């Protein structure tokens, strides 16, 4: 954000108090409680606000909307022909795939495909929480809350606007997940609540009182250390390059990837292959380190010793001493 000249705007959207975090057991007992110290070492912002700031900084018509990519054909000399759902096409000399987990650009450079990791997150939302959902609001607090047990958890985060965004975490196979009827929201919420029988009532309110959802998010990841050989005219960034299990780094890495790639292109204005090579050389070890840590965190998250394993991670007592 500093490189883009947007740091002041970024500071204006930081959610004060949002970096607080605590870990509870299924009965609502606090295992770890870490306050937001106000130093903005890991600032929390809404992605919608971040997206707005970035978009507003661009010149008009920089982005073409409603251009769903349907296919890519490799041509000679590092060129690629992109075809879109609206029937149009374009030939590129420089192609950067920033198109997420199931990237259509990634197959140009790599045969790797994201695999389901055995854990899913199901989203629910509560609004006007201090007035309408006081008990749930109190147990979540001002930042992030992780109520965990072996194989399952209820984790939530207070967002600006008096909103609580909840992720119900389940270590289940895809077949087991298929037994939950997400086509019938109220039924699905009941089925989810039944999985947390005998949990604290204030925690269960994050499921039972949901005003939106539930929305299933199956977690997929590429292999740790994912790399590729240099392919002329194309590279990838963000989740297209290194989708990993959630560990609070996905958006950070994607933005840093973009910044590093832009810097490399500035330094090599007449040699895109040199720019791409420079970018990928630092991308690979950076993303491998982050993916390895995310993989370790997943192992602690809903482990057989949960919530204690994850509490130790959050307290920085484990995980190779990293912060």
């Amino acid at each position: 954000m500093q490189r883009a000249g947007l740091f002041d705007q970024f500071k204006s959207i930081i959610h004060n108090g949002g970096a607080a975090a605590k870990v509870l057991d299924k009965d609502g007992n606090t295992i770890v409680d870490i306050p937001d110290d106000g130093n903005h070492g890991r600032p929390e912002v809404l992605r919608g606000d971040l997206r707005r700031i970035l978009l507003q900084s661009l010149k008009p018509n920089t982005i073409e909307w409603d251009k769903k990519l349907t296919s890519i054909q490799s041509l000679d000399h590092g060129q690629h022909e992109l075809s879109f759902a609206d029937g149009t096409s374009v030939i590129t000399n420089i192609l950067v795939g920033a198109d997420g987990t199931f990237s259509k650009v990634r197959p140009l450079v790599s045969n790797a495909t994201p695999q389901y990791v055995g854990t899913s997150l199901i989203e629910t939302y509560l609004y006007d929480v201090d007035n309408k959902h006081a008990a749930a609001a109190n147990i979540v607090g001002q930042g992030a809350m992780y109520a965990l047990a072996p194989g399952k958890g209820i984790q939530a985060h207070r967002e600006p606007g008096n909103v609580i965004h909840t992720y119900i975490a389940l270590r289940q196979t895809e077949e087991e997940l298929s037994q939950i009827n997400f086509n019938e929201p109220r039924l699905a919420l009941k089925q989810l609540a039944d999985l947390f029988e005998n949990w604290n009532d204030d925690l269960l309110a994050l499921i039972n009182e949901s005003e939106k959802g539930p929305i299933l998010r199956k977690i997929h990841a590429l292999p740790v250390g994912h790399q590729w050989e240099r392919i002329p005219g194309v590279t990838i960034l963000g989740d297209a390059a290194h989708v990993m299990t959630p560990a609070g780094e996905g958006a950070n890495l994607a933005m840093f990837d973009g910044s590093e790639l832009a810097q490399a292109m500035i330094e090599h204005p007449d040699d895109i292959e040199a720019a791409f090579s420079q970018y990928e050389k630092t991308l690979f070890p950076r993303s491998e380190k982050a993916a390895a840590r995310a993989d370790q965190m997943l192992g602690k998250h809903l482990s057989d010793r949960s919530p204690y394993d994850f509490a130790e991670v959050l307290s920085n007592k484990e995980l190779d001493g990293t912060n």
Side-chain angles (χ1 to χ4, degrees):
M1 297 301 284
Q2 287 175 324
R3 284 179 176 179
L6 298 173
F7 197 61
D8 286 342
Q9 292 95 314
F10 176 77
K11 288 192 293 185
S12 74
I13 63 170
I14 290 174
H15 174 203
N16 292 318
K22 58 182 178 178
V23 179
L24 313 180
D25 64 18
K26 69 183 186 66
D27 298 315
N29 300 311
T30 301
I31 309 300
V32 169
D33 191 353
I34 303 171
D36 185 342
D37 61 11
N39 70 5
H40 299 321
R42 290 188 60 84
E44 291 285 336
V45 301
L46 286 178
R47 292 199 182 193
D49 290 340
L50 182 60
R51 181 175 181 267
R52 171 179 52 80
I53 288 173
L54 292 168
L55 290 175
Q56 288 176 348
S57 73
L58 301 176
K59 294 179 181 179
N61 302 317
T62 298
I63 295 176
E64 290 191 46
W65 300 102
D66 299 320
K67 302 292 288 189
K68 182 179 180 180
L69 182 64
T70 55
S71 65
I72 306 174
Q73 181 179 355
S74 296
L75 306 176
D76 294 331
H77 311 298
Q79 292 186 317
H80 297 86
E81 183 175 9
L82 280 60
S83 298
F84 301 95
D86 62 4
T88 62
S89 63
V90 65
I91 293 177
T92 70
N93 294 308
I94 299 173
L95 174 59
V96 178
D99 51 341
T101 301
F102 300 104
S103 169
K104 287 185 169 64
V105 180
R106 186 193 302 117
L108 296 174
V109 300
S110 170
N111 293 324
T113 57
Q115 300 297 313
Y116 177 57
V117 301
T119 299
S120 289
L121 300 176
I122 298 114
E123 295 181 71
T124 66
Y125 286 84
L126 301 178
Y127 301 99
D128 192 16
V129 294
D130 290 325
N131 294 318
K132 295 166 57 180
H133 308 282
N138 181 64
I139 203 165
V140 171
Q142 294 302 308
M145 182 279 298
Y146 304 87
L148 306 174
K152 66 182 69 173
I154 301 173
Q155 52 200 59
H157 194 272
R158 183 185 283 259
E159 297 179 349
N162 216 13
V163 174
I164 289 179
H165 186 181
T166 297
Y167 293 93
I168 303 159
L170 295 175
R171 193 173 62 201
Q172 289 193 343
T173 66
E174 292 184 286
E175 182 178 355
E176 288 171 324
L177 287 171
S178 71
Q179 304 304 309
I180 302 173
N181 188 353
F182 288 98
N183 293 320
E184 298 289 341
R186 298 318 304 180
L187 175 57
L189 289 171
K190 182 181 183 308
Q191 291 176 301
L192 290 167
D194 287 346
L195 296 174
F196 294 85
E197 186 179 6
N198 297 323
W199 278 50
N200 176 275
D201 287 341
D202 295 345
L203 291 172
L204 288 175
L206 294 163
I207 302 174
N208 292 324
E209 298 177 15
S210 175
E211 297 178 68
K212 180 181 177 181
I215 305 166
L216 174 62
R217 308 289 189 192
K218 296 179 183 178
I219 299 175
H220 291 76
L222 285 166
V224 173
H226 176 236
Q227 299 186 19
W228 56 89
E229 299 295 328
R230 173 93 293 280
I231 302 297
V234 59
T235 192
I236 51 180
L237 61 77
D239 282 354
H242 46 63
V243 63
M244 59 191 71
T245 56
E249 296 295 346
N252 296 338
L253 283 172
M255 292 176 61
F256 192 69
D257 290 349
S259 178
E260 291 288 277
L261 176 57
Q263 185 63 36
M265 293 173 71
I266 290 169
E267 293 176 10
H268 301 278
D270 301 317
D271 190 345
I272 193 62
E273 289 308 304
F276 281 178
S277 294
Q278 176 179 312
Y279 157 72
E280 291 173 355
K281 183 179 180 179
T282 57
L283 167 75
F284 294 150
R286 177 174 70 247
S287 59
E288 180 175 6
K289 181 179 179 180
R293 184 171 187 272
D295 204 43
Q296 286 181 286
M297 285 190 71
L298 179 68
K300 304 286 187 178
H301 185 220
L302 305 179
S303 74
D304 291 341
R305 288 191 66 248
S306 196
Y308 303 103
D309 276 346
F310 190 74
E312 291 169 356
V313 170
L314 209 63
S315 301
N316 299 315
K317 294 179 181 177
E318 285 197 0
L319 216 58
D320 302 328
T322 56
N323 292 319

